Amino acid sequence: MVRTRFAPSPTGYLHVGGLRTALYAYLFAKQNQGQLILRIEDTDQERRVEGAIEKIIEALKWAGLEPDEGPHKGGDYGPYIQSERIELYKKYADELLERDHAYPCFCTKERLDELNRIQKMQNKPPGYDGKCRSLSREEAEQRIAAGESYVIRQKIPENREIIVNDIIRGQVSFETDLLDDQILMKSDGFPTYHLANIVDDHLMEISHVIRGEEWLPSTPKNILLYEFLGWEAPKFAHLPLLLNRDRSKLSKRQGDVAVSDYRDKGYLKDALINFLALLGWNPGTNQEIFSRKELIREFSLEKVGKSGSVFDLEKLDWMNGIYIREMDLDELYQHVEDRIASEIDWSEEELKQIVGLLQESLTKLNDINSKGIIFFKENLQLEKDAEKMLQSKETVKVLKGFIDKLSELDALDRNIFVNIARQVQKETGIKGKQLWMSIRVGITGQTHGPEIHKTAEILGKEKCLERMQEALANA
RNA sequence: GGAGCAUUCGUCUAGUGGUUAGGACACCGGCCUCUCACGCCGGCAGCAGGGGUUCGACUCCCCUAUGCUCUACCA
């Protein structure tokens, strides 16, 4: 049974890099009829942020990556929040202590800082010097009984080579002599990531650990822990990182990183997912657009690349536009409805027509307002080029003719509109661009926009007349 | 400082000894067209450098360079 997990720490919002990790874990699990588990790694009480868990769950839900088990929906392997599993970690820390694969360490923060400072100064590799490693059990117990503050450290064996068999990277080997005696239990009684992660992955029967590349260097310590506890280690897959434009690790400083930022800006979840899926993975074909189903079917960890990928907004924009254009009108309208800020009261029917007209030009859902300004603003600002056009007497002639004809009619639709234009053409002899542009500018104040006969139809007779008259007044 | 990982067009990538190095975004040009957008067609642009191995290297090996990650009582 394939069981993957997404294990964020609740320090704020869900990061797009985290979403990609969750996506890969999800795709891999679903493809193998397995489960995705959400586990909250909140063993650092100081970094805990109120409401972060809810935000993460909500973001995953929005993206359609619903975990099969997690703090919000339970499961047979709970609890799914590490701070609720403290006794478990304690139990296994004691076991490690018992087997002499861990030891209590009484070194103070001050001593450690000083040690580190000296090591840095001498240009030596920083790390714990093993002072408490050889303490006798008796002495340790005495000091503990005396109430001295201590941590529990992993006793890394000397002179061993640990081989990490990574699905994406192949065999990676590490010398244990270069590994630090990692802290397993902190003095506050909470475990560190190193212990909690191993205990939980084992107890939750995780088969594949899919996580970011930053964890690769700590994997040998993980493997040792599995060995010392007598457990079988899961399979590992370390994903390449997501990068800023300058190729540094994707960060807040250089743009949006929260999933909710992208949602708020009007990116569609399917587009974001599609884009993220392709950032680091590629099935080897030329296909760019993938449905969720196809993603589940085609995804494979073996085809995930090894090098970091720049998060390229331009391509996301393009892809989002594709998804917007592929949507049917009712669905698009639902997505866009709440984002419309109109000064003019349109009926739902009319708004739908407007959205339909604008659909092909949208990149993000939010673009609806800038693209639809001619429908939503009461007083239109004249564009520079438009102003220039209004100076010409041909434009004035066209508008006057058009107004005359239009005011005699009861209503306007696109066919009538075209007919009027043709009549004006006959009477004035003005045609082509000169004719149509004059009308466009008269109605919208802009030299570009959606097809003018459709625009005019939605705007209706009165608005068109009003605007043309106003334009003439400004001419 | 050390360890690990990485390195194909500006960006995302295909490519596993013999290819005119393929696709996509962006960019440029054309078509469509009242304009914009969409769409279609075309173009520009890349194997980090140096040594090997080989009849032949983007592909295999070594070195260098560069970038990134880790090196916390953070995950």
Side-chain angles (χ1 to χ4, degrees):
Chain A
M1 175 60 86
V2 167
R3 286 169 62 82
T4 61
R5 42 71 154 189
F6 176 54
S9 57
T11 54
Y13 48 81
L14 178 62
H15 192 279
V16 285
L19 181 61
R20 191 194 55 163
T21 303
L23 171 65
Y24 285 10
Y26 167 88
L27 293 176
F28 184 74
K30 291 302 133 191
Q31 164 175 93
N32 293 289
Q33 288 83 42
Q35 288 110 32
L36 172 69
I37 287 84
L38 173 65
R39 183 175 72 226
I40 302 298
E41 311 230 325
D42 63 342
T43 54
D44 185 354
Q45 292 301 293
E46 288 180 19
R47 294 213 310 166
R48 188 172 192 158
V49 173
E50 205 54 47
I53 297 180
E54 291 70 23
K55 272 191 194 167
I56 289 167
I57 291 171
E58 188 206 311
L60 285 175
K61 197 169 178 179
W62 173 77
L65 304 182
E66 185 68 30
D68 298 290
E69 298 166 27
H72 58 309
K73 60 188 314 179
D76 297 338
Y77 299 80
Y80 294 91
I81 296 180
Q82 289 186 330
S83 58
E84 295 170 12
R85 300 167 63 84
I86 300 303
E87 321 79 58
L88 248 24
Y89 309 125
K90 213 170 156 38
K91 175 181 160 200
Y92 291 106
D94 287 343
E95 198 172 320
L96 286 165
L97 235 31
E98 201 56 44
R99 299 189 193 177
D100 197 33
H101 285 126
Y103 60 93
C105 170
F106 300 91
C107 294
T108 60
K109 184 82 183 139
E110 290 68 38
R111 178 175 122 71
L112 262 19
D113 286 346
E114 178 65 8
L115 181 68
N116 204 270
R117 198 179 62 80
I118 293 170
Q119 285 165 335
K120 271 235 168 85
M121 223 169 58
Q122 294 177 172
N123 239 338
K124 283 184 179 163
Y128 184 59
D129 61 357
K131 182 164 186 278
C132 298
R133 192 171 159 126
S134 51
L135 246 39
S136 71
R137 186 163 294 213
E138 294 69 39
E139 181 180 352
E141 275 166 13
Q142 252 171 38
R143 292 172 72 170
I144 291 172
E148 219 177 305
S149 172
Y150 71 102
V151 301
I152 294 173
R153 283 186 190 269
Q154 178 177 7
K155 193 178 254 182
I156 303 282
E158 287 170 34
N159 196 26
R160 269 188 58 182
E161 186 189 26
I162 307 294
I163 295 188
V164 177
N165 231 314
D166 190 272
I167 296 172
I168 294 169
R169 280 149 219 286
Q171 295 198 343
V172 184
S173 79
F174 297 86
E175 299 291 333
T176 54
D177 290 354
L178 269 9
L179 262 31
D180 226 9
D181 276 356
Q182 197 71 45
I183 292 176
L184 264 19
M185 291 292 273
K186 298 183 267 189
S187 55
D188 65 359
F190 276 78
T192 59
Y193 165 81
H194 292 279
L195 212 219
N197 165 55
I198 270 65
V199 170
D200 288 346
D201 282 343
H202 175 258
L203 261 26
M204 293 178 181
E205 295 181 27
I206 301 303
S207 63
H208 299 255
V209 170
I210 299 169
R211 69 208 324 187
E213 189 185 0
E214 67 267 30
W215 301 110
L216 187 54
S218 64
T219 309
K221 298 172 198 169
N222 296 168
I223 289 178
L224 246 16
L225 248 22
Y226 282 111
E227 181 185 318
F228 294 155
L229 257 4
W231 296 339
E232 189 189 343
K235 301 244 186 315
F236 293 99
H238 288 93
L239 269 25
L241 265 19
L242 254 33
L243 273 22
N244 291 310
R245 294 212 74 105
D246 65 359
R247 305 203 75 84
S248 55
K249 187 174 168 180
L250 190 64
S251 70
K252 202 175 179 176
R253 285 191 67 88
Q254 296 190 39
D256 293 315
V257 293
V259 172
S260 55
D261 289 335
Y262 289 90
R263 180 198 57 202
D264 294 347
K265 280 188 168 176
Y267 289 98
L268 265 9
K269 70 171 203 292
D270 290 334
L272 220 211
I273 290 291
N274 191 157
F275 174 69
L276 248 20
L278 254 23
L279 227 45
W281 168 80
N282 183 292
T285 63
N286 284 338
Q287 188 175 350
E288 301 275 347
I289 305 299
F290 293 85
S291 68
R292 187 68 55 108
K293 258 193 186 144
E294 288 173 316
L295 248 22
I296 291 171
R297 192 176 59 227
E298 309 276 341
F299 183 76
S300 97
L301 286 173
E302 284 79 9
K303 280 193 170 292
V304 172
K306 297 177 176 65
S307 55
S309 321
V310 173
F311 192 89
D312 180 15
L313 266 184
E314 282 172 338
K315 192 156 185 177
L316 207 211
D317 282 346
W318 164 76
M319 201 172 266
N320 204 55
I322 300 254
Y323 276 87
I324 286 179
R325 271 168 252 130
E326 275 180 353
M327 236 187 279
D328 65 58
L329 185 53
D330 285 330
E331 197 186 350
L332 176 60
Y333 179 71
Q334 279 179 19
H335 276 89
V336 106
E337 194 180 359
D338 292 338
R339 296 175 190 257
I340 294 174
S342 179
E343 293 172 358
I344 297 167
D345 269 334
W346 295 105
S347 69
E348 183 175 321
E349 197 45 48
E350 289 163 332
L351 276 176
K352 258 189 198 169
Q353 287 176 31
I354 294 169
V355 171
L357 197 55
L358 264 18
Q359 181 167 17
E360 65 188 13
S361 67
L362 299 179
T363 295
K364 302 186 279 280
L365 297 176
N366 277 6
D367 295 343
I368 191 74
N369 285 313
S370 58
K371 298 283 183 188
I373 193 162
I374 56 172
F375 295 106
F376 303 141
K377 269 238 160 220
E378 202 74 70
N379 297 304
L380 291 175
Q381 198 80 42
L382 265 186
E383 216 180 42
K384 261 238 157 61
D385 290 344
E387 225 168 310
K388 222 177 276 172
M389 280 220 66
L390 284 171
Q391 312 287 315
S392 97
K393 59 180 194 288
E394 278 84 4
T395 299
V396 172
K397 229 197 268 182
V398 169
L399 288 180
K400 277 186 174 156
F402 204 101
I403 290 170
D404 283 348
K405 301 259 176 313
L406 183 52
S407 31
E408 284 167 20
L409 295 166
D410 301 330
L412 180 65
D413 69 22
R414 62 184 71 177
N415 295 321
I416 295 171
F417 182 90
V418 171
N419 284 335
I420 297 175
R422 290 206 176 117
Q423 285 177 46
V424 172
Q425 174 181 337
K426 230 177 260 168
E427 285 171 18
T428 61
I430 299 167
K431 58 181 180 175
K433 191 163 180 169
Q434 181 69 254
L435 171 76
W436 291 99
M437 231 351 126
S438 297
I439 298 168
R440 171 178 294 283
V441 162
I443 294 175
T444 70
Q446 300 186 353
T447 52
H448 58 260
E451 290 169 283
I452 192 63
H453 63 294
K454 293 181 185 170
T455 302
E457 176 179 271
I458 295 170
L459 248 14
K461 177 190 164 191
E462 295 309 324
K463 278 227 155 39
C464 285
L465 273 178
E466 249 170 58
R467 289 190 176 176
M468 284 196 246
Q469 270 152 357
E470 199 183 328
L472 273 182
N474 286 327

